[in-house]
Amino acid sequence: MRIGFFPNMKKENIRDILSQAITYCHTYGIEVYMPKELEHHDVCALGIEKSHLLPRPEVFEHLDMAFSFGGDGTIIQLARQIYPYNVPICGINLGELGFLNQIELENLEMAIERISKGDYYVEDRIHLVGTLHTPEGERVLRPAINDIVVSRSEPGKMARINLSINGGHTQMYPADGLIVACSTGSTGYNLSAGGPIMAPDNRSLIVTPIAPHLLQGVSLVLKESAKIDITMPERQKNLHISVDGTFDYEFSNTDSLHIEAHPQYCKYVRFKDQKFFATLFKKLTARSKEVI
C-alpha cells in the first residue's frame, strides 16, 4: 500500500508527528510518499526515501491514499488538488475543530494499523463547480469543496440577489449574501448563517441566505442534479464571489453565475465505528466551552 503525506508544515511539532507516522506506516508495511516541494524541509531525515519525493501532480498518480496533516483548511486544499485522481483522503487532525478529519493524534497508530488491514471504507462526497458567464465569455471558477458565496464586497450594505433553480426564477433575496454549499460545507459558513447540517454522504445542495432583510431566512435543500443560476437586478451594480473563502471573483449585473454539483466526487476515508453527528456535536460543545 502507498500513502502520501501532505502536511501543514507550520503546525507545532509537525516534524515529530510526521516521523512517528512514518515509523507506524513502515511497521505495517506501508510505503510513504511526499510532494517534492517539501524536500527543503529535510523530510528524508524523517525516514522518507528520496525516490518517494515526487512533484505534484505526479505524486498523486502513485498513491492508494493520502494523509492530510492539519486542520480543515489543509484537507480542503488537498481535496481540491487530488479529486481528479480518485485518491481517497484521510485527515489527521492538528487543528482546533477538524470537522473533516477522521484521526486524532492519540489514535494515529491504531488507525494506520486498521488501514493496513483494509478496515475502512471510502465515502464519495459531492463538491461544486461554478461558471461565470460574462459578455466577454465563460469563466470556470475553481472547484468548491465547501461553498460558493455571493455577497457585497462593502461591509454593512445590502445585496440584491436573484436566484433561479432549474431554469425557473425562485426569488430575489435582499440580504447580506447567499451561500451555496454541499454537505462538506454544511458545517462551515452555512452553519454560522443558520443553515442545516448535512450528513457527509448526503449529496444535496444547500442554498442559505446571509442575514436576509425581509425574513426570507429559510434554507433550500436541493437535489444533486439541481442547476442554480444567480444574477442581480440592474440597480445592483456589482457583487463579490468567494469560493471556499480562498478564491475571489468580481461579479457585475451583466454577468450570471451558474452552480451545480461537479460530476466527479471527492473521496474520503471513513471508519465504521465513527459516528458523524456524535463527533460533530462533541467538537462543537468543546469549542463553545473554550469560547465562553
Side-chain angles (χ1 to χ4, degrees), residues 96-97 282-292:
E96 294 180 352
L97 289 175
K282 181 179 178 181
K283 290 186 176 186
L284 285 173
T285 301
R287 182 58 175 161
S288 297
K289 290 178 179 178
E290 289 178 10
V291 172
I292 293 171

Side-chain angles (χ1 to χ4, degrees), residues 163-211:
L163 174 71
S164 295
I165 299 171
N166 296 329
H169 177 72
T170 303
Q171 70 170 325
M172 191 273 287
Y173 287 92
D176 286 2
L178 203 62
I179 303 167
V180 181
C182 54
S183 60
T184 302
S186 71
T187 55
Y189 198 179
N190 168 74
L191 175 59
S192 299
I197 299 172
M198 292 290 188
D201 58 353
N202 189 317
R203 294 175 181 170
S204 300
L205 279 65
I206 309 166
V207 180
T208 298
I210 306 168

Side-chain angles (χ1 to χ4, degrees), residues 25-128:
C25 284
H26 289 168
T27 298
Y28 295 106
I30 297 171
E31 296 182 56
V32 179
Y33 287 73
M34 292 182 78
K36 191 172 179 62
E37 71 261 21
L38 297 182
E39 190 171 14
H40 71 278
H41 288 282
D42 194 23
V43 292
C44 289
L46 304 178
I48 297 288
E49 298 178 31
K50 194 165 186 178
S51 61
H52 286 190
L53 293 174
L54 299 172
R56 305 187 204 209
E58 181 184 346
V59 65
F60 300 145
E61 299 172 354
H62 288 72
L63 304 180
D64 301 304
M65 186 181 295
F67 276 7
S68 166
F69 292 82
D72 285 345
T74 306
I75 200 170
I76 287 170
Q77 181 182 20
L78 177 59
R80 190 181 295 112
Q81 297 173 4
I82 209 169
Y83 78 84
Y85 300 88
N86 290 313
V87 177
I89 302 171
C90 188
I92 290 82
N93 184 31
L94 307 182
E96 294 180 352
L97 289 175
F99 289 142
L100 304 182
N101 293 294
Q102 284 297 293
I103 301 176
E104 302 295 334
L105 275 181
E106 60 267 25
N107 301 321
L108 182 56
E109 181 177 10
M110 179 178 64
I112 290 174
E113 181 182 10
R114 291 179 67 177
I115 287 169
S116 72
K117 295 177 179 178
D119 183 17
Y120 66 93
Y121 68 98
V122 176
E123 175 183 88
D124 290 337
R125 291 197 192 187
I126 68 167
H127 63 293
L128 307 175

